[in-house]
Amino acid sequence: MASGARHIQVTLPDGTSRRVPEATAAGDALTGPGGSLPREVLAVRVNGVPTDLATALREDASLEPITFESPLGKEVYRHSSTHIMAQAVKELFPSAQLAIGPAIEEGFYYDFGFERPFTPDDLEKIEARVHDIQKANHPFKRMEMPRQEAIRFFRERGEKYKVEILESINDETASLYSQGDFIDLCRGPHVPSTGRVAAIKLLSGAGAYWRGDERNAMLQRIYGTSFPTQAALDAHLAKLEEIKRRDHRKLGKELDLITIQDEIGPGLVLWHPKGAMIRLLIENFWREQHLQAGYELVYSPHVARLDLWKTSGHVDYYRDNMFVPMKVEASEYQLKPMNCPFHIMIYKSHLRSYRDLPIRYGELGTVYRYERTGVLHGLLRVRGFTQDDAHLFCRPDQLETEVSRVLDFTFLMLRTFGFSEFEVFVSTKPEKAVGSAENWAQATQALVAALNGRGVRHQIDPGEGVFYGPKIDIKIKDVLGRAWQCSTIQIDFNNPERFGLAYTGEDGKAHQPIMIHRALLGSIERFFGILIEHYAGAFPTWLAPVQARVLSITDKQREYAEAVVGQLRGAGCRAEGDLRNEKVGFKVREAEKAKVPYMLVVGEREMQGGTVSVRGRSGADLGAMSPAAVIDLIRADVAKATPARQPAP
RNA sequence: GCUGGCGUAGCUCAAUCGGCAGAGCAGCGGUUUUGUAAACCGCAGGUUGGAGGUUCGAUUCCUCUCGCCAGCUCCA
């Protein structure tokens, strides 16, 4: 029987199915005879397996088109993009060796063995060549060969990294893709041809170790990104610009909030008055809320005997992240990397009854950790920072309720600071862990139950827990959609054991309490950095270090302007005056740059009428009103932003 | 820590091949009394991150050091 006579059955996503001749290309099978495939379709899932559109079908299959809209589609698209870039590099720099070139979150990169770093100049040339290759519209062709043959092939071409990769894989068949004269080892799939990638931009070059190991050779990495339209690429580049514009290191300096100075030391933050004011507001809110939530606030010292950290296990498990101990009299003292031992010692200062539990100790505790110089980053990664820390001690039967309460509390805090999207992760028992399997199972169960009880969607990270217990991590998403991990809720089986924590139960016997570490904002420094970027420095009224600035038009309004400032301050508003001998346009400009929420212009008219002309941040004209009305405006803003706040008694 | 780039006035940035270190803004003094994003004139401001070296001469070249920035997990 002639093979052409054989037909196979294909099923489409809409449930319809049709018969096509065997060996029909997957892409053609998707449309049926006479149909033409939409350009958005880049590849196709054949029985779930991502496949080139050109691949000949051999058996019955369900087909599903892959477009850029899906994460898989983006991966295919950018993976093809990086091959195009690699071709351009090989054409311009034939001695460059191909290492790896995957798609990543928002683009792609390719690592090359090359004798020197690529310069911005090189990138420009490479990008120009990339455009030529796109225009040439070379088809991506797949071929398969036995692994040994592929090894020989790449060895002859001097591609030692490809040989290494091939030697490390188990499959006996290797797949190669070619476009034009370029051939690369690749699993695929790819878009049909180089012309299908519309807009590519090379972003930066950087060094990267072969297989991420610093003992290996340094490769030269080129990052890039690509999109199906120039408009989408431009939008992405605009977003990168926006991220730069919001950089908290830049805004922190411009708005005179914080500095990190060489003379002080890397990773150590100076809070200037305006930054300190915002911190004070955050901390005041934090303390109020904790007292309402049934926490007791404590303080602990910045150093303690090294022995304490031996008991806690930090010397064994955390030494790499600790400053070296200092010798004082006959003993050694350690700058604190964590607050927990102190809270534990407060717990231990009395005998505790089951009736006392839960006990919740909270502290804005400043800790010092030795971070390697290469990882320091503005406020986001520092060496001295203040954790909004708390340790809860409870009975096993209270665990789930306590976790639920902490969850509610966390979301309330984060929402108040303007975050409304969250990603929640539960990390379970890692291989090396303390505590019995059933303790872990029980505690993990309690975490999951608390999340489910609150209807919080979450993902499980198997084996990602800390050695001392399971945890919940919460990431917030900022206005640009970037995720930041701040909150964490961790069960600890280790410290109650090490410190011999106990409470007396109903039965008169000693029992071990369960301990929960939790931080809502994480570190005040880091959270502040995130807040600066989230708000682009334009803090909402309740957090703005200056809520209103009074701008006088001439010297004649000096006294009146001062009186307005006094009235606002008397009502608890943070107001200041700009009475300088300058034009009002200049004063407005400066107030705008300082991102003051309300500008109150006072001239002859306002002085006569006992009013101020209110200009909102970014130009809104709110008209003339009395200072009392401005106070109401500010109070309404504050009340709206902090619904959790109870009126003071 | 490793690789690469960078470090000049308070800030943002110039300075050709190794040849007297400069501008704008900010600051200070004066003029101007001003209506919603920059009035005008003038003055002052520096051990070019630090130490050493090469040179008649170093911001520039070399070595060391401190700091900053990017990258260093995402499997062809």
Side-chain angles (χ1 to χ4, degrees), chain A residues 255-305:
Chain A
L255 298 172
D256 199 14
L257 303 174
I258 55 106
T259 51
I260 296 171
Q261 301 178 22
D262 201 358
E263 291 83 345
I264 311 291
L268 302 170
V269 181
L270 291 179
W271 294 73
H272 297 207
K274 291 206 164 72
M277 174 54 79
I278 298 171
R279 175 169 172 167
L280 183 73
L281 293 160
I282 294 171
E283 292 186 352
N284 284 348
F285 179 73
W286 188 93
R287 289 198 178 95
E288 269 168 37
Q289 293 302 313
H290 277 72
L291 292 173
Q292 277 179 34
Y295 285 73
E296 298 172 285
L297 302 185
V298 301
Y299 291 97
S300 60
H302 286 213
V303 293
R305 286 187 199 281

Side-chain angles (χ1 to χ4, degrees), chain A residues 198-487:
Chain A
I200 297 187
K201 174 82 186 164
L202 305 191
L203 297 171
S204 58
Y209 299 101
W210 171 235
R211 301 200 149 152
D213 188 330
E214 68 189 38
R215 287 166 304 191
N216 288 340
M218 170 68 60
L219 305 174
Q220 300 306 327
R221 175 171 298 181
I222 302 176
Y223 283 95
T225 191
S226 60
F227 287 87
T229 63
Q230 186 64 39
L233 173 61
D234 290 345
H236 178 75
L237 297 177
K239 185 178 152 186
L240 295 182
E241 282 304 309
E242 181 66 13
I243 287 171
K244 247 195 230 164
R245 196 178 71 78
R246 288 171 178 255
D247 192 316
H248 72 278
R249 292 166 300 184
K250 185 166 167 279
L251 289 173
K253 200 194 282 180
E254 278 173 17
L255 298 172
D256 199 14
L257 303 174
I258 55 106
T259 51
I260 296 171
Q261 301 178 22
D262 201 358
E263 291 83 345
I264 311 291
L268 302 170
V269 181
L270 291 179
W271 294 73
H272 297 207
K274 291 206 164 72
M277 174 54 79
I278 298 171
R279 175 169 172 167
L280 183 73
L281 293 160
I282 294 171
E283 292 186 352
N284 284 348
F285 179 73
W286 188 93
R287 289 198 178 95
E288 269 168 37
Q289 293 302 313
H290 277 72
L291 292 173
Q292 277 179 34
Y295 285 73
E296 298 172 285
L297 302 185
V298 301
Y299 291 97
S300 60
H302 286 213
V303 293
R305 286 187 199 281
L306 187 62
D307 288 355
L308 182 71
W309 307 102
K310 286 180 182 158
T311 306
S312 69
H314 287 105
V315 170
D316 293 334
Y317 292 97
Y318 206 69
R319 173 168 258 159
D320 288 351
N321 280 296
M322 286 157 52
F323 279 87
V324 292
M326 57 190 119
K327 191 109 187 187
V328 181
E329 292 155 355
S331 39
E332 288 190 298
Y333 281 75
Q334 175 65 48
L335 201 49
K336 70 167 163 178
M338 300 213 182
N339 302 302
C340 25
F342 298 104
H343 296 185
I344 288 169
M345 295 311 285
I346 295 172
Y347 178 93
K348 278 190 72 173
S349 65
H350 294 293
L351 280 181
R352 304 291 178 178
S353 152
Y354 70 96
R355 283 189 279 251
D356 297 333
L357 303 182
I359 286 174
R360 311 182 186 98
Y361 294 141
E363 177 180 7
L364 292 162
T366 303
V367 297
Y368 295 89
R369 296 182 184 174
Y370 173 73
E371 299 281 359
R372 297 190 303 168
T373 51
V375 304
L376 296 173
H377 183 87
L379 290 172
L380 301 182
R381 194 85 179 263
V382 291
R383 284 185 173 159
F385 59 98
T386 300
Q387 288 183 303
D388 70 316
D389 210 357
H391 295 92
L392 318 186
F393 304 90
C394 68
R395 306 189 305 259
D397 63 288
Q398 294 171 320
L399 180 59
E400 188 184 324
T401 309
E402 278 307 301
V403 173
S404 299
R405 289 176 54 114
V406 173
L407 281 175
D408 289 347
F409 197 12
T410 306
F411 290 124
L412 175 134
M413 286 290 271
L414 296 176
R415 282 185 208 282
T416 305
F417 287 102
F419 299 99
S420 50
E421 274 189 78
F422 311 100
E423 288 175 356
V424 181
F425 302 86
V426 177
S427 300
T428 62
K429 189 167 181 285
E431 286 210 357
K432 273 190 159 180
V434 301
S436 68
E438 59 206 279
N439 275 346
W440 272 86
Q442 242 167 25
T444 308
Q445 179 46 36
L447 294 180
V448 171
L451 286 167
N452 288 337
R454 288 295 183 271
V456 178
R457 277 194 305 173
H458 57 272
Q459 299 176 36
I460 306 285
D461 272 346
E464 288 298 306
V466 218
F467 75 90
Y468 53 75
K471 61 171 181 169
I472 297 175
D473 288 327
I474 299 170
K475 290 184 181 176
I476 53 181
K477 284 193 144 186
D478 70 12
V479 277
L480 297 181
R482 295 174 299 175
W484 306 94
Q485 203 221 298
C486 296
S487 320

Side-chain angles (χ1 to χ4, degrees), chain A residues 561-591:
Chain A
E562 278 171 349
V564 171
V565 169
Q567 193 179 342
L568 263 68
R569 283 194 183 156
C573 296
R574 297 183 292 280
E576 63 185 23
D578 183 350
L579 313 180
R580 291 174 302 168
N581 175 11
E582 296 286 353
K583 298 176 75 163
V584 74
F586 182 74
K587 295 184 184 184
V588 166
R589 175 184 154 82
E590 300 230 311

Side-chain angles (χ1 to χ4, degrees), chain A residues 31-36:
Chain A
T31 55
S36 74

